[in-house]
Structures are given as structure tokens and as C-alpha cells.
Amino acid sequence: MSAQPSNKIPVVEVDLNANKKRVHPRFITGFYQNIRVISMYALLALFLILPWIRYNGRQAIWFDVPSQHYYIFGMTFLTQDFYFLAVFALIAAFALFMVTVYAGRVWCGYACPQTIWTHMFQYVEKIVIGDRNKRIKFDKEPMNAKKVFKRFLIYFIWFVFSMITAMTFVSYVSGTEALYQNWQMIGFIPFPDWSTWIWVSIFIFAFSTYVNAGYMREQMCIQICPYGRFQSVMFDKDTLIVSYDYERGEPRGARKKGTHPENLGDCIDCTMCVQVCPTGIDIRDGLQVACIQCAACVDACNEVMDKVGYPRGLIRYTTERQLVEKEPSRVLRPRFFAYLTLLAVLCGGVVYALTDRVPLEIDIRRDRNQLSSLNQQGMIENSYIVKLTNKTQSAHTYKISLEPQEGLSLGVRFNDVPLEAGESFDMPVSIYGDPKVIEFGQTPITLTVTSEDGKYNVSKQNIFTTQGQ
Ligand code: SF4
Ligand code: SF4
């Protein structure tokens, strides 16, 4: 397929029924590939290292689902704080939209886990079999002992990578201690003593990693990932895209070294840009959903241009306005301000909510079976369960008090409640009302919980009722 010159960069529709061959990209180096490798493997290292970082004696990032406590460095979140997660997801979505409007699919090419793991798995094939031509030849070879051995070696390394990925993923939820302690020796083989949900999660994550990075690869981007499809909605004429300079390159064609026939453009039709493409497409056809904008074709073509002595940039990062309309790209445009305003509002809201947040939670539940009763001293008694949760990163002792009110007094089983960091406790509390003083019906009450140093205190209202007397 060859694109036609027009006032737009041609957009190639994806053919979902196309029977594509396995892609074996040629590995190259170059300006963008160096940035890409650094960015991808720095993110991978961060993913692997983060669960091992300790903060105040505990795993710094730990989504402890079984106990419904979620720790992010100095902050503890409970299930009822999940609205923070929703806001974080919104911030991430708007940040991605903003980046996409400007830099196109930079996320796909430089940071997406699918891209990183696919790159890693393909690199294993390169190490075991060799570069592109050897891998293509290897696929066509009949089965023999050497081929079986190399295949087995690749599958084994993929399996190890998949297990490491799955265990790291699960360690964000189970905690590293639950995962790496309590291994038993069965003969000479260490065997983990994991609960069922850990086994199931590790199997699911390891299987998904193996299949996605080992087999699905670019098909995930083309057939499944919705983000690639959104791009046509988010892109505008000023979005940065990897594009082939059709005017400069066509008509393409081979030529003798050191010559430039007048009837030919700058593209020498060497197909290097296709050979290095991790999704196996030809960027010369136009803008495509399968293009993850990794810029491997930019580096490859620049290298070719250097060799034949033509200027670099036949394939380059550009915008439709620059390439087709020959005008400078606009940086400040309405979408920028719209996304920036939304992001600023959301980030401001989160910062305010986090700084204003008291790391002490109280929840008052009434005893539904017995709203009120008359005790031996002739006082009306209401019973409550006060749930205290210490959301700080250190141990504290808390006291509970009743806002002074004529005719009402507080009865607690414990004067002081010591709680470890992240610990919760259900404290039974009674409030006594003097029937000679207290009005018949419902009276609002306020309970306050204060830490021993007075630093944290939280109040909550409930009602005292004479109902049933
Ligand atoms: S690498 Fe450059 S010169 Fe070679 S085929 Fe691609 S666009 Fe043409
Ligand atoms: S066409 Fe170029 S930028 Fe797009 S995925 Fe292929 S190599 Fe990467």
C-alpha cells in the first residue's frame, strides 16, 4: 500500500481480520531508542523495587485488601477513602489526555507495560536465537534437537520473567513478607506456603504476562487496547506524531550508492523502517492504529540517510500542520487550557483533602436490638459501639469523651485505648440519661476521640433516645 499526497496525513484503517505473520523486529540503537530503553527499564526497575521499600517499619506501598488498609508511604487509607482512588484515576486520565493531545502516543512507545514486557520478551529471543533474519529463518526451520532446546530455553526464561512479574504484582497486595517468608523445603526444593488467593492471583498474573508479552504482543495494541482507538479523537493538527515525509520521499526506489536520480525521492526503499517496527507496519502508508510511536523507524531511517548522505528526518516527529500545511505548530490551544484547568482543579482538590485529613477515624453504631433500657440505678441507658481506627504511622493512645450536656453522662469500659499504627478497635460505650432531667424523645449527642498528645481529635454526632421507656 502506498499513501497518496493530500492535505491530510493518510490514516490507515486497521484490518482486524488480517492474518498477520509473527513480527520479528530488528533491534537498533539511536537517539530515540536510547531514551526509550532508559525510560522503559527505569519504570520496570521502579515496579520491581517499590514493594521492597520500607517506611516507618512497614511496606511503603501496600494495598492490604484482606484487612482493608491501604498504605502509601506516610498515609493510611481505608475502604471508605476509595473516592481518593477514583480522583487519582481521573487525574491520571486527564494527564494522559493532555499528554496525548501534545505528544501523541508517547505513553504507548515509552511507558506502557505491554510495550515494556514485549520488548523484554523479544530481546530474550534475540539473545537466544539472534537478530531478525536469524529469528525468521529459525521459525521456518524443521524441528530438530537444537530448535527444541532453544525454544525450551526461551519459554523457560519467559516463565521466570512472568513469575517475577506476577509475584511483584501480588506483593503490592499480600505484602512481601506473606510472599517470601514461610517457604518449606520439600526435598531440595523450596516451596511457598501461600494462601489460596495468592496462588490463584499469581497464576492469573503469570499466565497473562506470558501470553500477552510472548504471543499477543502488538495484537493487544491493535485489537484489544481501547487507547489506540481513542487517538483519532484526541489528535489534532498540532499533535506530535511519527510521520513519513511523503513529498520528500516519493517516488521511492533503489539507486546506486552516492547518486540521487532526479526521478526519485529520498526514500531508497531499503525497508529498514519496516524491519525495526515492533508492530510490523510500514509508516510510509500513513497514520495507523498499530503505530505505538516508538520512533524506531525514525532512528533507522536517520541511520540510512546518514549512510547515503541525505539530510536526516525523512521519517520524523512532526505535526500535520508542519508536514502538510507547512505552518508552525501551535502550542497554546483551547484544549490545553481546558485540560490544564481540569487537572489544576482535581490536583488542588486532592492536595486539600490530603492535608485536611485527620488520620483518625471514628464510626458510631447503635445497638439496634436495644435502643434504650432502664438500669438498676434508674438511669436510661443507650449502648453504642465506637469503632476507632488509627490511620497514622505510629502507635497512639486515645481517650473518648462526651460533649457536656445536662443529665447525660458517659460510661466506658476502658479509659485509654492504645492502638498500633493502622489498628482498629470496636469499643462498647454506654451513655446514661437522668430521666428527671432529660427530655423525652431523641437528644443529639457528640462523642469526641482525642489522642494522648492532643494532636488528633475527631468528633461525631449520634442520638440519645428515651424510646422504649
Ligand atoms: S528507512 Fe527511510 S529510506 Fe529506508 S525504506 Fe524506510 S523511509 Fe525509505
Ligand atoms: S511505525 Fe515507527 S513509530 Fe510506529 S510503531 Fe513502527 S517503528 Fe514505531
Side-chain angles (χ1 to χ4, degrees), residues 244 266-273 284 301 304-305 314-315:
Y244 168 68
D266 279 359
C267 175
I268 64 167
D269 209 11
C270 62
T271 72
M272 277 301 287
C273 51
R284 295 173 298 171
C301 191
V304 173
M305 293 293 107
L314 177 57
I315 301 175

Side-chain angles (χ1 to χ4, degrees), residues 60-79:
I61 297 184
W62 184 14
F63 305 103
D64 188 2
V65 175
S67 78
Q68 300 184 356
H69 284 67
Y70 311 98
Y71 307 99
I72 300 178
F73 287 92
M75 293 176 289
T76 304
F77 297 90
L78 304 178
T79 306

Side-chain angles (χ1 to χ4, degrees), residues 70 77-87:
Y70 311 98
F77 297 90
L78 304 178
T79 306
Q80 54 267 44
D81 295 322
F82 250 66
Y83 63 92
F84 274 109
L85 197 70
V87 180

Side-chain angles (χ1 to χ4, degrees), residues 186-205:
I186 299 183
F188 295 105
I189 303 168
F191 201 76
D193 183 21
W194 292 334
S195 51
T196 312
W197 77 265
I198 293 185
W199 276 111
V200 172
S201 309
I202 286 186
F203 173 77
I204 292 170
F205 280 114

Side-chain angles (χ1 to χ4, degrees), residues 6-11 241 243-244 286-287 318-320 323-324:
S6 70
N7 60 353
K8 275 183 83 66
I9 295 173
V11 178
I241 45 172
S243 193
Y244 168 68
L287 195 59
T318 183
T319 66
E320 191 171 319
L323 188 70
V324 182

